[in-house]
Amino acid sequence: MTSPVGAMAGAGGNGVVAARHLARWLSLAATPTFAIMAVLTAMVGDGPADTLCAAGQGALLGGMVPMYLLMSAFHSAAWLRLLAERRGR
């Protein structure tokens, strides 16, 4: 049985290498995307999604902006790994 990556990219090893390279760059896109979403949400504010997320009134991490900032922090591992690799060279 072949893996989904191997089946999509053909049986060659180049397809697997390309898929891994693409996955690495996509993982780097998450942190700045969530940070931008946090800034935009903070600027625009009070939309219908804020009403849904404000259900826990008084919660420290309630609302969309803290959620986006937390998601940005949780996805920063790819950036930290990249910085560590560059320092090692």
Side-chain angles (χ1 to χ4, degrees), residues 22-62:
L22 178 64
R24 181 176 179 175
W25 284 106
L26 283 175
S27 69
L28 290 172
T31 298
T33 301
F34 283 121
I36 290 169
M37 290 169 66
V39 169
L40 290 175
T41 303
M43 289 172 49
V44 174
D46 293 338
D50 281 342
T51 305
L52 289 174
C53 291
Q57 294 291 348
L60 179 64
L61 297 176

Side-chain angles (χ1 to χ4, degrees), residues 64-83:
M64 296 297 287
V65 174
M67 184 211 49
Y68 287 138
L69 290 174
L70 283 172
M71 293 297 288
S72 182
F74 290 146
H75 285 88
S76 66
W79 283 97
L80 296 173
R81 192 177 315 116
L82 180 68
L83 290 173

